Amino acid sequence: MSTNQELQIAVVIGSTRTGRFGPVVADWLLGHLDARDDMVADVVDLAVTPLPTVMPGFGGELPAEEIELLAAVTPRLAAADAFLFVTPEYNHSFPASLKNAIDWHNQQWHGKPIGFVSYGGLSGGLRAVEQLRVVMAELNTVTIRNTVSFHGAAQAFDADGKPRDPAADAAAKTMLDQLVWWAQALRDARQARPFTA
Ligand SMILES: Cc1cc2nc3c(=O)[nH]c(=O)nc-3n(C[C@H](O)[C@H](O)[C@H](O)COP(=O)(O)O)c2cc1C
């Protein structure tokens, strides 16, 4: 049975580049989450909690320092009811830092929905999102149809970090409403029947 308990949303900031624009987009998105009473955000910023980039051989042991890095991220993904990926577009795809975070995990993604906020140059990150949909299908997730995207990202926000086009706020609300529907439905489903496929 569905409960009114707030949904735990892990907001994953995918870019780690020095001088990156990602936090401007993420902060605006977090304002939307803060204004709602149906979700709480946990910001997983891959620049703040970086993950190892060299994986062990199959069955191999991880060095202690890599275990420590993973411990700062993995339990938070596991605890999430849903995810929001804030991603730029790099060379018609999403950044390697985000792919690395995806690949270090498996069950933590399963049976959960993911919404996307993308940004970039001409494309607004839409190609990055389309590629993420394919990757995240492999990890048994549901990707939310509606997205929010910003082309010419640096010019799309004013000095206060607000989008110049108010349509972005309406798009965020629609995307978050869709995310909530799926997150509640899938939380109920996981409680009734753990995802084991
Ligand atoms: C390596 C690299 C590749 C990029 N490739 C694209 C691209 O294919 N399409 C696009 O629209 N913008 C592209 N851009 C522009 C970025 O999407 C834009 O600068 C964005 O703000 C980068 O996100 P960040 O500042 O959070 O790192 C690229 C930027 C970088 C650094």
Side-chain angles (χ1 to χ4, degrees), residues 124-191:
L126 292 173
R127 291 173 291 217
V129 170
E130 291 309 304
Q131 294 201 12
L132 278 163
R133 291 188 194 281
V134 176
V135 171
M136 297 317 291
E138 172 63 12
L139 289 159
N140 297 302
T141 69
V142 172
T143 61
I144 300 305
R145 176 187 182 274
N146 282 48
T147 62
V148 189
S149 67
F150 296 97
H151 64 88
Q155 292 76 42
F157 285 78
D158 67 19
D160 296 325
K162 292 199 176 63
R164 296 185 194 283
D165 183 353
D169 291 297
K173 182 181 182 318
T174 302
M175 183 271 289
L176 291 173
D177 287 346
Q178 291 180 356
L179 185 75
V180 165
W181 190 92
W182 279 102
Q184 287 175 338
L186 292 175
R187 182 172 64 185
D188 290 350
R190 290 194 311 277
Q191 281 168 1

Coordinates of all heavy atoms in Angstrom, one line a residue, residues 124-191:
G124 N 21.6 21.1 -25.8 CA 20.9 21.0 -24.5 C 21.1 19.7 -23.7 O 20.4 19.4 -22.8
G125 N 22.0 18.9 -24.2 CA 22.3 17.6 -23.5 C 21.3 16.5 -23.9 O 21.3 15.5 -23.2
L126 N 20.5 16.8 -24.9 CA 19.4 15.8 -25.2 C 20.0 14.4 -25.7 O 19.5 13.4 -25.4 CB 18.5 16.3 -26.2 CG 17.6 17.5 -25.7 CD1 16.8 18.1 -26.9 CD2 16.7 17.0 -24.6
R127 N 21.2 14.5 -26.4 CA 21.8 13.3 -26.9 C 22.4 12.5 -25.7 O 22.4 11.3 -25.7 CB 22.9 13.6 -27.9 CG 22.2 14.1 -29.2 CD 23.3 14.5 -30.2 NE 23.9 15.8 -29.8 CZ 24.3 16.7 -30.6 NH1 24.1 16.6 -31.9 NH2 24.9 17.8 -30.1
A128 N 22.9 13.3 -24.7 CA 23.4 12.6 -23.5 C 22.2 11.8 -22.8 O 22.4 10.7 -22.4 CB 24.0 13.6 -22.5
V129 N 21.1 12.4 -22.7 CA 19.9 11.8 -22.1 C 19.5 10.6 -22.8 O 19.2 9.5 -22.2 CB 18.8 12.8 -21.9 CG1 17.5 12.1 -21.4 CG2 19.2 13.9 -20.9
E130 N 19.4 10.7 -24.2 CA 19.0 9.5 -24.9 C 19.9 8.3 -24.8 O 19.5 7.2 -24.7 CB 18.8 9.9 -26.4 CG 17.7 10.8 -26.7 CD 16.4 10.3 -26.1 OE1 15.9 9.2 -26.4 OE2 15.8 11.1 -25.3
Q131 N 21.2 8.6 -24.6 CA 22.2 7.5 -24.4 C 22.0 7.0 -23.0 O 22.1 5.8 -22.8 CB 23.6 8.0 -24.6 CG 23.8 8.4 -26.1 CD 25.3 8.4 -26.5 OE1 26.2 7.9 -25.7 NE2 25.6 8.9 -27.6
L132 N 21.7 7.9 -22.0 CA 21.5 7.4 -20.7 C 20.3 6.5 -20.6 O 20.3 5.5 -19.8 CB 21.3 8.6 -19.7 CG 22.6 9.2 -19.2 CD1 22.4 10.6 -18.6 CD2 23.3 8.3 -18.2
R133 N 19.3 6.7 -21.4 CA 18.1 5.9 -21.3 C 18.5 4.4 -21.7 O 18.0 3.5 -21.1 CB 17.0 6.4 -22.3 CG 16.4 7.7 -21.9 CD 15.2 8.0 -22.8 NE 14.8 9.3 -22.7 CZ 14.0 9.8 -21.7 NH1 13.6 9.0 -20.7 NH2 13.6 11.0 -21.6
V134 N 19.3 4.3 -22.7 CA 19.8 2.9 -23.1 C 20.6 2.3 -22.0 O 20.4 1.1 -21.7 CB 20.6 3.0 -24.4 CG1 21.1 1.7 -24.8 CG2 19.7 3.6 -25.6
V135 N 21.5 3.0 -21.5 CA 22.4 2.4 -20.4 C 21.6 2.0 -19.2 O 21.7 0.9 -18.6 CB 23.5 3.5 -20.1 CG1 24.3 3.0 -18.8 CG2 24.4 3.7 -21.2
M136 N 20.7 2.9 -18.8 CA 19.9 2.7 -17.6 C 18.9 1.6 -17.7 O 18.4 1.0 -16.7 CB 19.3 4.0 -17.0 CG 20.4 5.0 -16.6 SD 21.9 4.4 -15.7 CE 21.1 3.9 -14.2
A137 N 18.4 1.3 -19.0 CA 17.5 0.2 -19.2 C 18.3 -1.1 -18.8 O 17.7 -2.1 -18.3 CB 17.1 0.1 -20.6
E138 N 19.5 -1.2 -19.1 CA 20.3 -2.4 -18.8 C 20.4 -2.6 -17.3 O 20.6 -3.7 -16.8 CB 21.8 -2.2 -19.3 CG 22.8 -3.2 -18.9 CD 22.4 -4.7 -19.4 OE1 21.5 -4.8 -20.2 OE2 23.1 -5.6 -18.9
L139 N 20.2 -1.5 -16.5 CA 20.2 -1.6 -15.0 C 18.8 -1.6 -14.4 O 18.7 -1.3 -13.2 CB 21.1 -0.4 -14.5 CG 22.6 -0.7 -14.8 CD1 23.3 0.6 -14.8 CD2 23.2 -1.7 -13.9
N140 N 17.9 -2.1 -15.2 CA 16.5 -2.3 -14.7 C 15.9 -1.1 -14.0 O 15.3 -1.1 -13.0 CB 16.5 -3.4 -13.6 CG 16.9 -4.8 -14.3 OD1 16.3 -5.2 -15.2 ND2 18.0 -5.4 -13.7
T141 N 16.1 0.1 -14.7 CA 15.4 1.3 -14.2 C 14.3 1.7 -15.2 O 14.3 1.2 -16.3 CB 16.4 2.5 -14.1 OG1 16.8 2.8 -15.4 CG2 17.7 2.1 -13.3
V142 N 13.5 2.6 -14.7 CA 12.5 3.3 -15.6 C 13.0 4.7 -15.8 O 13.2 5.4 -14.8 CB 11.1 3.3 -14.9 CG1 10.1 4.1 -15.7 CG2 10.6 1.9 -14.7
T143 N 13.1 5.1 -17.0 CA 13.5 6.5 -17.2 C 12.3 7.4 -17.5 O 11.3 6.9 -18.2 CB 14.5 6.6 -18.4 OG1 13.9 6.2 -19.6 CG2 15.8 5.9 -18.1
I144 N 12.2 8.5 -16.9 CA 11.1 9.4 -17.0 C 11.0 10.1 -18.4 O 12.0 10.6 -18.8 CB 11.1 10.5 -15.9 CG1 11.2 9.8 -14.5 CG2 10.0 11.4 -16.0 CD1 10.0 8.8 -14.2
R145 N 9.8 10.1 -18.9 CA 9.7 10.6 -20.3 C 10.1 12.0 -20.4 O 10.9 12.4 -21.3 CB 8.2 10.4 -20.8 CG 8.0 11.0 -22.1 CD 6.5 11.1 -22.5 NE 6.3 11.6 -23.8 CZ 6.2 12.9 -24.1 NH1 6.3 13.8 -23.1 NH2 6.0 13.3 -25.3
N146 N 9.5 12.9 -19.6 CA 9.7 14.3 -19.7 C 11.1 14.7 -19.1 O 11.4 14.2 -18.0 CB 8.6 15.1 -19.1 CG 7.4 15.2 -20.0 OD1 7.0 14.2 -20.5 ND2 6.9 16.4 -20.2
T147 N 11.8 15.6 -19.7 CA 13.1 16.0 -19.2 C 13.1 17.5 -19.1 O 12.2 18.2 -19.6 CB 14.2 15.6 -20.1 OG1 14.0 16.2 -21.4 CG2 14.3 14.1 -20.3
V148 N 14.1 18.1 -18.5 CA 14.4 19.5 -18.6 C 15.7 19.6 -19.2 O 16.7 19.0 -18.8 CB 14.4 20.1 -17.2 CG1 14.4 21.7 -17.3 CG2 13.2 19.7 -16.4
S149 N 15.8 20.5 -20.2 CA 17.1 20.7 -20.9 C 17.4 22.2 -21.1 O 16.5 23.0 -21.3 CB 17.2 19.9 -22.2 OG 16.3 20.5 -23.1
F150 N 18.7 22.5 -21.1 CA 19.1 23.8 -21.3 C 20.2 23.9 -22.4 O 21.3 23.3 -22.2 CB 19.7 24.4 -20.0 CG 18.8 24.5 -18.8 CD1 18.7 23.5 -17.9 CD2 17.9 25.6 -18.7 CE1 17.8 23.6 -16.8 CE2 17.0 25.7 -17.7 CZ 16.9 24.7 -16.7
H151 N 19.8 24.5 -23.5 CA 20.9 24.7 -24.5 C 21.5 26.0 -24.2 O 20.9 26.9 -23.6 CB 20.3 24.5 -25.9 CG 19.3 25.6 -26.3 ND1 19.7 26.8 -26.8 CD2 18.0 25.6 -26.1 CE1 18.6 27.5 -27.0 NE2 17.5 26.8 -26.6
G152 N 22.8 26.2 -24.6 CA 23.5 27.4 -24.3 C 23.5 27.7 -22.8 O 23.1 28.8 -22.4
A153 N 23.8 26.7 -22.1 CA 23.5 26.7 -20.6 C 24.0 27.9 -19.9 O 23.3 28.5 -19.1 CB 24.1 25.4 -20.0
A154 N 25.2 28.3 -20.2 CA 25.8 29.4 -19.4 C 25.0 30.7 -19.6 O 24.9 31.5 -18.7 CB 27.3 29.7 -19.9
Q155 N 24.3 30.9 -20.8 CA 23.5 32.1 -21.0 C 22.1 31.8 -20.6 O 21.3 32.8 -20.6 CB 23.5 32.4 -22.5 CG 24.9 32.9 -23.0 CD 25.9 31.8 -23.3 OE1 25.5 30.7 -23.8 NE2 27.1 32.0 -22.8
A156 N 21.7 30.6 -20.3 CA 20.3 30.3 -20.0 C 19.9 30.7 -18.6 O 18.7 30.6 -18.2 CB 20.0 28.8 -20.3
F157 N 20.9 31.0 -17.7 CA 20.6 31.3 -16.3 C 21.1 32.7 -16.0 O 22.1 33.2 -16.6 CB 21.4 30.4 -15.4 CG 20.8 29.0 -15.3 CD1 21.0 28.1 -16.3 CD2 20.0 28.6 -14.2 CE1 20.5 26.8 -16.3 CE2 19.5 27.3 -14.2 CZ 19.7 26.4 -15.2
D158 N 20.3 33.4 -15.2 CA 20.8 34.8 -14.8 C 21.8 34.7 -13.7 O 22.2 33.7 -13.2 CB 19.5 35.7 -14.5 CG 18.8 35.2 -13.2 OD1 19.4 34.5 -12.4 OD2 17.6 35.6 -13.0
A159 N 22.2 35.9 -13.2 CA 23.3 36.0 -12.2 C 22.8 35.4 -10.9 O 23.7 35.0 -10.0 CB 23.7 37.4 -12.0
D160 N 21.5 35.3 -10.6 CA 21.0 34.7 -9.4 C 20.8 33.2 -9.6 O 20.3 32.5 -8.7 CB 19.7 35.3 -9.0 CG 19.8 36.8 -8.7 OD1 20.9 37.1 -8.1 OD2 18.9 37.6 -9.0
G161 N 21.2 32.6 -10.7 CA 21.1 31.2 -10.9 C 19.7 30.7 -11.2 O 19.3 29.6 -11.1
K162 N 18.9 31.7 -11.8 CA 17.5 31.4 -12.2 C 17.5 31.2 -13.7 O 18.1 32.1 -14.4 CB 16.5 32.5 -11.8 CG 16.3 32.6 -10.3 CD 15.0 33.3 -10.0 CE 14.7 33.4 -8.5 NZ 15.7 34.1 -7.7
P163 N 16.7 30.3 -14.2 CA 16.6 30.2 -15.7 C 15.9 31.4 -16.3 O 14.9 31.9 -15.7 CB 15.7 29.0 -15.9 CG 15.8 28.2 -14.7 CD 16.0 29.2 -13.6
R164 N 16.4 31.9 -17.4 CA 15.8 33.1 -18.0 C 14.4 32.8 -18.6 O 13.5 33.6 -18.6 CB 16.7 33.7 -19.1 CG 18.0 34.2 -18.5 CD 18.9 34.9 -19.6 NE 20.3 35.0 -19.2 CZ 20.7 36.0 -18.3 NH1 19.8 36.8 -17.9 NH2 22.0 36.0 -18.0
D165 N 14.3 31.5 -19.0 CA 13.0 31.1 -19.6 C 12.1 30.4 -18.5 O 12.5 29.4 -18.0 CB 13.3 30.1 -20.7 CG 12.0 29.7 -21.5 OD1 10.9 30.1 -21.0 OD2 12.1 29.0 -22.5
P166 N 11.0 31.0 -18.2 CA 10.2 30.4 -17.1 C 9.6 29.1 -17.5 O 9.1 28.3 -16.6 CB 9.0 31.5 -16.9 CG 9.1 32.4 -18.1 CD 10.5 32.3 -18.7
A167 N 9.6 28.7 -18.8 CA 9.2 27.4 -19.2 C 10.0 26.3 -18.5 O 9.5 25.2 -18.3 CB 9.3 27.2 -20.7
A168 N 11.2 26.6 -18.1 CA 12.1 25.6 -17.4 C 11.4 25.2 -16.1 O 11.5 24.0 -15.7 CB 13.5 26.2 -17.2
D169 N 10.9 26.1 -15.4 CA 10.2 25.8 -14.1 C 9.0 24.9 -14.3 O 8.8 24.0 -13.5 CB 9.9 27.1 -13.3 CG 11.1 27.8 -12.9 OD1 11.9 27.3 -12.1 OD2 11.4 28.9 -13.4
A170 N 8.2 25.2 -15.3 CA 7.1 24.4 -15.6 C 7.5 23.0 -16.0 O 6.9 22.0 -15.6 CB 6.2 25.0 -16.7
A171 N 8.6 22.9 -16.8 CA 9.1 21.6 -17.3 C 9.6 20.8 -16.1 O 9.4 19.6 -16.0 CB 10.2 21.8 -18.3
A172 N 10.2 21.5 -15.1 CA 10.7 20.8 -13.9 C 9.6 20.2 -13.1 O 9.7 19.1 -12.7 CB 11.6 21.7 -13.1
K173 N 8.5 21.0 -13.0 CA 7.4 20.5 -12.2 C 6.8 19.2 -12.9 O 6.5 18.2 -12.2 CB 6.3 21.6 -12.1 CG 5.1 21.1 -11.2 CD 4.1 22.1 -11.1 CE 2.9 21.6 -10.2 NZ 2.5 20.2 -10.3
T174 N 6.6 19.3 -14.2 CA 6.0 18.1 -14.9 C 6.9 16.9 -14.7 O 6.4 15.8 -14.4 CB 5.9 18.4 -16.4 OG1 5.0 19.6 -16.5 CG2 5.3 17.3 -17.1
M175 N 8.2 17.1 -14.9 CA 9.1 16.0 -14.8 C 9.1 15.4 -13.4 O 9.1 14.2 -13.2 CB 10.6 16.4 -15.2 CG 11.6 15.3 -15.2 SD 12.4 15.2 -13.6 CE 13.4 16.7 -13.5
L176 N 9.1 16.3 -12.4 CA 9.1 15.8 -11.0 C 7.8 15.1 -10.6 O 7.8 14.1 -9.9 CB 9.4 17.0 -10.0 CG 10.8 17.5 -10.1 CD1 11.0 18.8 -9.2 CD2 11.9 16.5 -9.7
D177 N 6.7 15.6 -11.2 CA 5.4 14.9 -10.9 C 5.4 13.5 -11.5 O 4.9 12.6 -10.9 CB 4.2 15.7 -11.5 CG 3.9 17.0 -10.7 OD1 4.4 17.2 -9.6 OD2 3.2 17.9 -11.3
Q178 N 6.0 13.4 -12.7 CA 6.1 12.1 -13.3 C 7.0 11.2 -12.5 O 6.7 10.0 -12.3 CB 6.6 12.2 -14.7 CG 5.6 12.8 -15.7 CD 6.1 12.9 -17.1 OE1 7.2 12.6 -17.4 NE2 5.2 13.4 -18.0
L179 N 8.1 11.8 -12.0 CA 9.1 11.0 -11.2 C 8.4 10.5 -9.9 O 8.6 9.3 -9.5 CB 10.3 11.8 -10.8 CG 11.4 11.1 -10.1 CD1 12.2 10.2 -11.0 CD2 12.4 12.1 -9.4
V180 N 7.6 11.3 -9.3 CA 6.9 10.9 -8.0 C 6.0 9.8 -8.3 O 5.9 8.8 -7.5 CB 6.2 12.1 -7.4 CG1 5.1 11.7 -6.4 CG2 7.1 13.1 -6.8
W181 N 5.2 9.8 -9.4 CA 4.3 8.7 -9.7 C 5.0 7.4 -9.8 O 4.7 6.4 -9.1 CB 3.5 9.0 -11.0 CG 2.4 8.0 -11.2 CD1 1.1 8.2 -10.8 CD2 2.5 6.7 -11.7 NE1 0.3 7.1 -11.1 CE2 1.2 6.1 -11.7 CE3 3.5 5.9 -12.3 CZ2 0.9 4.8 -12.1 CZ3 3.2 4.6 -12.7 CH2 1.9 4.1 -12.6
W182 N 6.1 7.4 -10.5 CA 6.9 6.2 -10.7 C 7.6 5.8 -9.4 O 7.6 4.6 -9.1 CB 7.9 6.3 -11.8 CG 7.3 6.2 -13.2 CD1 7.0 7.1 -14.1 CD2 6.9 4.9 -13.8 NE1 6.4 6.6 -15.2 CE2 6.4 5.2 -15.1 CE3 7.0 3.6 -13.4 CZ2 5.9 4.3 -16.0 CZ3 6.5 2.6 -14.3 CH2 6.0 3.0 -15.6
A183 N 8.1 6.7 -8.7 CA 8.8 6.4 -7.5 C 7.9 5.8 -6.4 O 8.3 4.8 -5.7 CB 9.5 7.6 -6.9
Q184 N 6.7 6.3 -6.3 CA 5.8 5.8 -5.4 C 5.3 4.4 -5.8 O 5.3 3.4 -5.0 CB 4.5 6.7 -5.2 CG 4.9 7.9 -4.4 CD 3.8 8.9 -4.3 OE1 2.8 8.9 -5.1 NE2 3.8 9.8 -3.3
A185 N 5.0 4.3 -7.1 CA 4.5 3.0 -7.6 C 5.6 1.9 -7.4 O 5.3 0.8 -7.0 CB 4.1 3.1 -9.1
L186 N 6.8 2.2 -7.7 CA 7.9 1.3 -7.7 C 8.4 1.0 -6.2 O 8.8 -0.1 -5.9 CB 9.1 1.7 -8.5 CG 8.8 1.7 -10.1 CD1 10.0 2.2 -10.8 CD2 8.5 0.3 -10.5
R187 N 8.2 2.0 -5.4 CA 8.5 1.7 -3.9 C 7.5 0.7 -3.4 O 7.9 -0.2 -2.7 CB 8.5 3.0 -3.1 CG 8.8 2.8 -1.6 CD 9.0 4.1 -0.9 NE 7.7 4.9 -0.9 CZ 7.6 6.1 -0.4 NH1 8.7 6.8 0.1 NH2 6.5 6.7 -0.4
D188 N 6.3 0.9 -3.7 CA 5.2 0.0 -3.3 C 5.5 -1.4 -3.8 O 5.4 -2.4 -3.1 CB 3.8 0.4 -3.8 CG 3.3 1.6 -3.1 OD1 3.9 2.1 -2.1 OD2 2.3 2.2 -3.6
A189 N 5.9 -1.4 -5.1 CA 6.2 -2.8 -5.7 C 7.4 -3.4 -5.1 O 7.3 -4.7 -4.9 CB 6.4 -2.5 -7.2
R190 N 8.4 -2.7 -4.8 CA 9.6 -3.3 -4.2 C 9.3 -3.8 -2.8 O 9.9 -4.8 -2.4 CB 10.8 -2.3 -4.2 CG 11.4 -2.0 -5.5 CD 12.7 -1.3 -5.4 NE 12.7 -0.2 -4.5 CZ 12.3 1.1 -4.8 NH1 11.9 1.4 -6.0 NH2 12.4 2.0 -3.8
Q191 N 8.4 -3.1 -2.1 CA 8.1 -3.5 -0.8 C 7.3 -4.8 -0.8 O 7.4 -5.7 0.0 CB 7.3 -2.4 0.0 CG 8.3 -1.4 0.5 CD 7.5 -0.1 1.0 OE1 6.3 0.0 1.0 NE2 8.3 0.9 1.5

